[in-house]
Amino acid sequence: MSMRAFALACAGMWLTLASALAGYAVPSARSAAETMDILMWNREPVGGPFELTDQAGKLRTDRDFRGRLMLVYFGFTYCPDVCPTDLQAIGLALDKLGSDADSVQPIFITVDPERDTASHLAEYVPLFHPRLIGLTGSDEAIRKVADAYKVYYARVPLKDAGDYTVDHTAYIYLMDRDGSYLGFFPPGTSADRMVEIIKPRLAAPGR
Ligand code: NI
């Protein structure tokens, strides 16, 4: 699909803005290895409350999604391959779940809020699934939710002055109907595997 071309076309437009804002992002307090270690060994709670803006410009909180499982993914729209691949798998899993998908809310939270504005997310999330919600917010709000989900992300400058990419961990989080953490799928998990794990969970009573 023309996602890459689309991303590249947009990248030029944003170059000036990106350069003005480069260096402003709130740095991660922990390294990628530290956040992965926490997740792998379940050392700390994962998830928590958030207040962010969706692709329609509407304020959304975690409480809006109570009663549904949440599939939460962090990434950025200019990501050349990992994010689109995982988002495609999430969209496909939703399709494969059929009517059960109504009980699952897929959520994409950007780790690049300067470029991923609500209107930019509005062009991006429907490429993967009509029910995918894209969320953005202030640097501080994004840092807070990423820290809560033990997501590492950091800006990496590119060769072109002012341009950057975002290095990030890419787990797919499965949250229960009450918002509590159930577990994660590693990046690259297939749609079929997600369905296999989600289906029995949907049949189980909520905690
Ligand atoms: Ni990515």
Side-chain angles (χ1 to χ4, degrees):
M1 150 136 222
S2 61
M3 206 112 54
R4 188 182 294 254
F6 167 73
L8 288 174
C10 292
M13 269 167 34
W14 287 104
L15 206 62
T16 318
L17 180 63
S19 126
L21 291 167
Y24 172 64
V26 185
S28 186
R30 285 160 152 165
S31 70
E34 281 172 294
T35 56
M36 285 167 77
D37 184 79
I38 292 165
L39 273 184
M40 287 300 297
W41 306 110
N42 232 353
R43 293 190 200 282
E44 291 179 17
V46 175
F50 57 77
E51 257 190 40
L52 298 166
T53 305
D54 73 10
Q55 72 269 28
K58 192 178 157 202
L59 188 72
R60 296 288 198 143
T61 80
D62 54 299
R63 308 197 65 81
D64 297 348
F65 310 111
R66 292 291 185 273
R68 272 171 278 172
L69 301 187
M70 290 192 294
L71 261 181
V72 186
Y73 189 74
F74 290 77
F76 66 115
T77 67
Y78 296 94
C79 183
D81 41 41
V82 178
C83 290
T85 304
D86 286 335
L87 288 171
Q88 261 163 8
I90 289 170
L92 191 56
L94 267 280
D95 287 342
K96 285 169 178 273
L97 280 165
S99 59
D100 282 347
D102 296 345
S103 310
V104 181
Q105 181 59 59
I107 296 173
F108 172 70
I109 302 179
T110 182
V111 291
D112 186 11
E114 277 78 23
R115 292 188 294 196
D116 291 343
T117 57
S119 58
H120 189 66
L121 288 174
E123 292 178 43
Y124 185 74
V125 288
L127 298 172
F128 302 98
H129 199 274
R131 289 192 51 241
L132 179 62
I133 289 179
L135 296 176
T136 187
S138 65
D139 268 341
E140 291 75 15
I142 294 295
R143 177 57 70 197
K144 187 169 166 250
V145 66
D147 284 351
Y149 277 82
K150 313 302 179 243
V151 171
Y152 170 84
Y153 68 98
R155 280 191 191 185
V156 180
L158 293 173
K159 207 164 60 222
D160 293 334
D163 200 5
Y164 64 90
T165 185
V166 185
D167 194 13
H168 68 101
T169 51
Y171 296 100
I172 303 161
Y173 301 88
L174 184 63
M175 313 302 284
D176 211 348
R177 294 173 179 86
D178 62 357
S180 63
Y181 173 64
L182 289 170
F184 66 82
F185 298 106
T189 300
S190 70
D192 284 330
R193 188 72 73 224
M194 284 187 222
V195 170
E196 224 176 343
I197 304 291
I198 291 170
K199 266 220 182 250
R201 191 66 221 172
L202 282 173
R207 267 187 265 173

